[in-house]
Amino acid sequence: MAMPKYAPKPVFQTVGICSPYIAVLLGVFLLRNGFLAVLLYHLALLPCIIRINKSSAIKLLFKGFHRIAGPLICLGGLVPGIVILYLWPLVRGEQVDLAKTLATLNLNGQLFIFFAAYAYLVNPFLEESFWRGCFKNETRRPNAIDMLFAGYHALAVFPVLKLPFVCFVFAAMTVVGWLFRTLYRHTGGLLTPLLLHIIADISILYAIWKIMQSS
């Protein structure tokens, strides 16, 4: 996905938007390697962020945190993990064994722990920098970027969830994208959505690990 420096910003925005969809299709459905999927996604996002935001990308990540409301908001990141942990028997696809499914993607045992550590240490920084920091944030309603952010999450869970719950994931992640963007607009920075994102990723990955252990 190499592009010349003089390519206009919309080109980099388009590449960044398409990258997770391509990465999931290649890494999960074709090559059957979950870590490779995430790595391809991140390697595509990084030059897009640099080209669009340049030096301001890092600054945005470390501003915009309210010392009273911020910690309370960030506690909301625990919710998705709790929901996954308790609703998994209801939402999983027929005859889906999560541990076996992840094993087919080379995400079992120690490899899953390594993947999880990489995911929550790297993924939130790149995703917030791109999906929130690289687009205009004027509308107060959910927009196309929020839905595009949600779309690849729904694609990623398609193999393990019943179809109605795949649709629910899409709707829920659209709301999450809108919420993160709203926090960015109100605080003028990405620190609050970043911390919320990190906690949410940790809670989700912990829930997945617990489900794998009980399989």
Side-chain angles (χ1 to χ4, degrees):
M1 295 185 182
M3 294 165 290
K5 290 183 178 180
Y6 52 81
K9 289 183 180 181
V11 171
F12 286 87
Q13 289 174 325
T14 301
V15 169
I17 288 170
C18 293
S19 62
Y21 293 90
I22 296 172
V24 170
L25 290 173
L26 286 177
V28 174
F29 293 98
L30 182 60
L31 302 176
R32 308 296 291 175
N33 190 308
F35 184 73
L36 179 61
V38 173
L39 191 60
L40 287 172
Y41 172 35
H42 290 170
L43 288 175
L45 275 192
L46 187 57
C48 296
I49 295 166
I50 293 172
R51 174 60 183 88
I52 296 169
N53 262 351
K54 297 181 180 178
S55 60
S56 64
I58 295 177
K59 294 178 182 178
L60 284 173
L61 289 172
F62 295 97
K63 62 181 291 188
F65 188 79
H66 192 280
R67 63 181 181 178
I68 298 176
L72 296 176
I73 292 171
C74 290
L75 285 176
L78 299 174
V79 172
I82 295 171
V83 170
I84 291 170
L85 201 55
Y86 286 98
L87 292 186
W88 173 247
L90 175 66
V91 304
R92 69 175 183 171
E94 296 295 332
Q95 298 181 339
V96 168
D97 185 313
L98 188 59
K100 291 181 179 178
T101 300
L102 292 177
T104 65
L105 298 174
N106 293 306
L107 292 178
N108 55 329
Q110 295 296 321
L111 289 175
F112 177 79
I113 296 174
F114 177 74
F115 167 81
Y118 173 83
Y120 67 70
L121 289 173
V122 176
N123 187 67
F125 291 86
L126 292 179
E127 287 207 321
E128 292 310 312
S129 292
F130 179 75
W131 291 100
R132 260 59 71 180
C134 289
F135 297 91
K136 290 183 178 180
N137 191 13
E138 297 172 350
T139 175
R140 296 177 181 272
R141 298 178 180 178
N143 62 16
I145 298 301
D146 301 330
M147 290 186 282
L148 288 165
F149 172 71
Y152 76 87
H153 289 86
L155 181 63
V157 301
F158 182 80
V160 297
L161 297 187
K162 296 174 183 176
L163 183 57
F165 294 103
V166 174
C167 297
F168 174 78
V169 168
F170 175 77
M173 291 307 299
T174 298
V175 173
V176 168
W178 168 80
L179 173 62
F180 284 4
R181 189 167 50 79
T182 299
L183 290 170
Y184 173 33
R185 187 175 67 250
H186 282 292
T187 63
L190 292 171
L191 184 54
T192 300
L194 171 64
L195 294 174
L196 180 56
H197 197 152
I198 291 172
I199 294 171
D201 279 2
I202 293 172
S203 73
I204 290 168
L205 290 164
Y206 175 76
I208 293 172
W209 180 78
K210 289 290 288 184
I211 292 169
M212 289 170 61
Q213 299 303 304
S214 63
S215 297

